[in-house]
């Protein structure tokens, strides 16, 4: 799990920042996430890096929500996650293309 997902999961578990320990974990997770994201843009194009960060974050958050926080899994959720994953694959494949 990435530092962003640790931060997001701690934020959810904190009950709206009502637990100091989980709030510190959430903030720390997000700080490290931004550091790692910034470093990744040294080698990845900005558009792809952001799409990858957001897309994988959404997929991972959804899976964590389903497995840990007992959120609902529906056909719409599955289709949405598959569309996000396919978008990441298409963006990755298009890295060498120009118009």
């Amino acid at each position: 799990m990435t530092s962003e997902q640790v931060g997001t999961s701690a934020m959810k578990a904190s009950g709206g920042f009502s637990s100091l320990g989980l709030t510190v974990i959430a903030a720390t997770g997000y700080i490290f996430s931004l550091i790692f994201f910034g470093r990744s843009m040294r080698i990845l194009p900005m558009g792809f890096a952001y799409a990858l960060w957001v897309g994988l974050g959404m997929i991972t958050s959804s899976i964590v929500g389903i497995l840990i926080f007992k959120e609902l899994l529906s056909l719409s959720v599955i289709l949405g996650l598959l569309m996000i994953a396919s978008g990441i694959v298409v963006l990755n494949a298009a890295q060498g293309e120009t118009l």
Side-chain angles (χ1 to χ4, degrees):
M1 189 166 10
T2 67
S3 56
E4 179 192 10
Q5 298 315 309
V6 169
T8 301
S9 298
M11 186 186 317
K12 170 77 173 171
S14 75
F17 299 118
S18 59
S19 167
L20 179 60
L22 290 170
T23 299
V24 170
I25 293 171
T28 303
Y30 277 108
I31 289 168
F32 277 102
S33 175
L34 290 172
I35 291 168
F36 296 140
F37 178 58
R39 292 181 62 85
S40 74
M41 285 198 290
R42 290 179 177 176
I43 57 173
L44 296 173
M46 184 176 66
F48 177 67
Y50 190 70
L52 186 64
W53 186 44
V54 171
L56 290 178
M58 290 172 65
I59 292 168
T60 307
S61 292
S62 296
I63 293 169
V64 168
I66 291 163
L67 296 177
I68 295 177
F69 298 108
K70 308 300 182 208
E71 295 176 357
L72 297 177
L73 176 64
S74 66
L75 181 59
S76 297
V77 170
I78 293 169
L79 289 174
L81 294 176
L82 288 173
M83 291 172 77
I84 292 166
S86 62
I88 292 169
V89 170
V90 169
L91 281 173
N92 185 40
Q95 288 305 302
E97 294 179 8
T98 58
L99 290 178

